[in-house]
């Protein structure tokens, strides 16, 4: 009997892959091993659980058992894979070997907690999974004051949502502006103003040096010696791909598990998808690359050839009082053509060859995002067709 396809993980990447394979083949054996319960949920919903007063349980779309039954897979819930023998094509769980024909790492990533001193560092919360929210929800719900470490995409979304739910929020960000790695300053200034109007304190150009207990609460000491009293500290300072298991199995890793355009790792019959994967040198911790990647990988697993070609993809900053959407790559942008009004912004970036390379829309102008995405896609595709250059566009 042929060994099954084995998937490690039960997040969006694993579930999307299962759905894709099952659309093409109803019967091929699939085993899913996951360190958690295997419940299906929409992780981006974690950005607005506070204002919606949702518990972790409210976010569950389907139990692991139901998902497994519906898709005819064998689920090993609460089962950590300890090691992989890529020669014998086996994974080890609870001391027992399980053979695979093809193996997929869909092990996701961990939220990063920047190095800091103090006697309460262990109390810093992260919110990169349903389980982390479940552990923290009562503490956050009781808290009046919340400090968020990190003013990137997830940090600003969580900060605005906490403020909307009535908390007093402080955002600590080492850069001198929010979303510094994502969008230009002129787009982010109105967002900063909006957050301040909602009572969010922005401690920009600051790191957290120490977190200490202070009575029933915490005192965080910032690098500029300011001390903030807070009831909860949340770290939203970026992700680190879960690569340890792959690394100790002899699979090449860098920032993530390195894969090519077929989602194949450095080892035969082993693949990676989702937040754990570094696709052709880039991390892409978003849903759309997972959906497109699952289409390619599903075919590979069933013996068909396919290669991942990523079109320009939209990134949405889910800050409802001042939403922002963007696509493209601004590394090569030399000129911004921007229409700025009190209600919103449309900004298009071009490179030195006057090629349209990306856009940002904000506020009331977000309805321009899809027409601009179409224009950008056409521009990028025509460049690829005429020059053969596959420029990496977000
Ligand atoms: C607050 C928030 C908001 C977001 N908003 C958006 C958005 O608006 N748009 C967007 O595109 N993206 C968004 N994202 C990102 C998106 O949710 C992720 O890219 C996606 O969910 C990652 O899925 P994954 O399956 O790769 O990883 P995960 O969901 O992290 O799943 C990893 C799985 O691997 C399992 N696992 C790990 N190691 C082992 C092991 N050794 N053995 C067994 N099991 C193991 C875990 O238990 C888990 O089931 C957001 C993320 C967050 C945190």
């Amino acid at each position: 009997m042929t060994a099954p396809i084995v998937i490690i993980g039960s997040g969006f990447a694993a579930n999307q892959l299962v759905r894709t394979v099952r659309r093409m083949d109803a019967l091929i054996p699939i085993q899913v091993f996951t360190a958690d319960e295997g419940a299906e949920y929409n992780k981006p919903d974690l950005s607005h659980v506070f204002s919606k007063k949702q518990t972790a349980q409210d976010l569950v779309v389907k139990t692991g058992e139901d998902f497994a039954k519906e898709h005819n897979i064998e689920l090993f819930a609460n089962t950590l894979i300890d090691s992989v023998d890529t020669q014998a094509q086996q994974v080890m769980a609870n001391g027992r070997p399980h053979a695979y024909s093809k193996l997929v790492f869909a092990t996701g990533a961990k939220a990063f907690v920047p190095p800091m001193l103090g006697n309460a560092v262990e109390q810093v919360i992260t919110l990169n999974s349903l389980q982390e929210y479940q552990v923290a929800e009562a503490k956050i719900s009781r808290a009046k004051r919340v400090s968020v470490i990190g003013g990137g995409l997830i940090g600003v979304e969580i900060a605005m949502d906490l403020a909307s739910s009535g908390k007093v929020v402080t955002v600590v960000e080492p850069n001198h502006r929010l979303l510094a790695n994502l969008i230009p300053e002129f787009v982010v200034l109105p967002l900063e103003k909006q957050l301040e109007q909602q009572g969010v304190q922005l401690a920009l150009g600051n790191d957290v040096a120490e977190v200490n207990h202070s009575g029933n609460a915490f005192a965080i000491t910032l690098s500029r010696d300011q001390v903030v009293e807070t009831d909860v500290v949340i770290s939203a300072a970026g992700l680190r791909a879960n690569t340890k298991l792959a690394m100790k199995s002899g699979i090449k890793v860098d920032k993530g598990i390195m894969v090519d355009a077929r989602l194949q790792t450095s080892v035969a019959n082993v693949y990676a998808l989702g937040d754990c994967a570094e696709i052709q040198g880039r991390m892409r911790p978003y849903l759309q690359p997972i959906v497109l990647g699952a289409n390619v990988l599903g075919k590979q697993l069933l013996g068909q050839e396919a290669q991942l070609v990523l079109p320009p993809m939209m990134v949405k900053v889910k800050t409802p009082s001042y939403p922002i959407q963007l696509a493209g790559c601004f590394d090569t942008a030399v000129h911004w053509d921007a229409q700025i009004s009190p209600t919103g912004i449309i900004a298009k970036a071009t490179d030195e060859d006057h090629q349209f390379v990306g856009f940002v829309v904000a506020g009331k102008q977000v309805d321009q995002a899809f027409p601009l995405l179409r224009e950008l896609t056409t521009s990028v595709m025509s460049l690829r067709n005429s020059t053969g250059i596959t420029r990496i566009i977000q």
Side-chain angles (χ1 to χ4, degrees):
M1 205 175 80
T2 333
I5 294 169
V6 166
I7 302 174
I8 311 176
S10 64
F12 184 75
N15 288 357
Q16 192 62 28
L17 183 61
V18 166
R19 281 197 190 89
T20 309
V21 172
R22 280 291 171 250
R23 274 199 296 272
M24 295 184 277
D25 189 321
L27 297 176
I28 192 166
I30 302 177
Q31 291 182 341
V32 169
F33 291 81
T34 181
D36 56 52
E37 288 180 1
E40 188 182 19
Y41 71 105
N42 182 37
K43 196 184 277 197
D45 288 347
L46 289 170
S47 295
H48 44 68
V49 278
F50 314 111
S51 62
K52 291 191 170 175
K53 300 201 184 326
Q54 286 173 308
T55 64
Q57 200 49 43
D58 294 335
L59 297 191
V60 174
V61 176
K62 209 164 273 176
T63 64
E65 233 172 49
D66 286 348
F67 185 88
K69 211 183 281 170
E70 188 177 324
H71 295 92
N72 183 26
I73 61 171
E74 197 178 348
L75 175 69
F76 295 78
N78 304 307
T79 306
L80 194 75
I81 297 294
D82 307 308
S83 63
V84 178
D85 181 341
T86 58
Q87 293 292 318
Q89 301 214 159
Q90 287 176 344
V91 297
M92 291 295 291
N94 299 324
R96 276 194 53 209
H98 299 263
Y100 65 80
S101 57
K102 313 255 177 183
L103 174 67
V104 180
F105 280 80
T107 47
K110 270 196 180 53
F112 175 63
V113 180
M116 58 188 86
L117 300 172
N119 61 19
V121 178
E122 292 298 312
Q123 305 297 319
V124 174
I125 286 167
T126 54
L127 289 178
N128 188 45
S129 66
L130 191 67
Q131 297 69 35
E132 285 157 273
Y133 178 48
Q134 195 157 30
V135 170
E137 63 187 321
K139 276 188 204 161
I140 300 175
S141 154
R142 279 197 305 271
K144 290 196 168 61
R145 303 159 298 177
V146 181
S147 295
V148 178
I149 304 174
L153 193 65
I154 306 296
V156 297
E157 291 182 356
I158 289 176
M160 182 174 279
D161 197 61
L162 286 162
S164 302
S165 75
K167 313 279 185 202
V168 176
V169 181
T170 302
V171 176
V172 185
E173 163 59 45
N175 283 293
H176 289 275
R177 57 191 169 88
L178 299 175
L179 300 176
N181 300 324
L182 205 61
I183 51 176
E185 187 168 1
F186 65 87
V187 186
V188 94
L189 291 177
L191 175 66
E192 292 180 1
K193 207 164 131 198
Q194 176 62 40
L195 284 163
E196 283 171 340
Q197 275 169 9
Q198 289 185 234
V200 177
Q201 283 188 25
L202 299 179
L204 301 177
N206 258 298
D207 286 306
V208 174
E210 284 188 36
V211 184
N212 288 296
H213 289 284
S214 171
N216 290 331
F218 303 105
I220 59 173
T221 309
L222 306 186
S223 47
R224 295 185 177 178
D225 286 340
Q226 188 189 347
V227 176
V228 179
E229 289 282 329
T230 191
D231 301 312
V232 163
V233 186
I234 299 174
S235 182
L239 296 175
R240 295 293 179 269
N242 288 326
T243 56
K244 247 190 216 155
L245 179 63
M247 195 156 58
K248 78 176 188 190
S249 316
I251 295 162
K252 276 195 189 155
V253 308
D254 186 20
K255 288 190 287 294
I257 303 171
M258 295 166 77
V259 294
D260 61 17
R262 298 177 307 139
L263 285 315
Q264 162 92 52
T265 67
S266 59
V267 169
N269 295 325
V270 183
Y271 303 81
L273 181 70
D275 286 4
C276 66
E278 179 181 328
I279 310 170
Q280 297 180 296
R282 283 193 65 173
M283 303 304 292
R284 295 172 180 280
Y286 297 105
L287 303 183
Q288 199 187 347
I290 295 176
V291 173
L292 299 174
N295 289 339
V296 168
L297 185 48
K299 287 185 183 149
Q300 298 282 343
L301 297 178
L302 297 176
Q304 300 167 28
E305 253 316 303
Q307 299 242 354
L308 182 63
V309 178
L310 291 173
M313 286 175 285
M314 194 92 86
V315 174
K316 296 182 183 178
V317 186
K318 304 188 295 299
T319 40
S321 318
Y322 191 77
I324 300 173
Q325 297 188 19
L326 59 136
C329 173
F330 307 134
D331 300 349
T332 56
V334 291
H335 177 74
W336 280 95
D337 178 9
Q339 296 167 35
I340 303 176
S341 74
T343 56
I345 292 173
I346 305 181
K348 293 173 68 174
T350 45
D351 66 9
E352 57 186 6
D353 301 325
H354 310 289
Q355 179 76 28
F356 179 29
V357 291
F359 67 87
V360 185
V361 288
K364 296 250 184 304
Q365 301 290 7
V366 285
D367 56 0
Q368 294 305 308
F370 276 104
L372 283 168
L373 184 66
R374 271 198 296 275
E375 193 188 327
L376 181 64
T377 307
T378 308
S379 165
V380 171
M381 292 306 177
S382 69
L383 182 76
R384 282 180 192 171
N385 292 340
S386 64
T387 63
I389 296 170
T390 306
R391 205 180 286 190
I392 304 280
I393 299 256
Q394 181 78 9

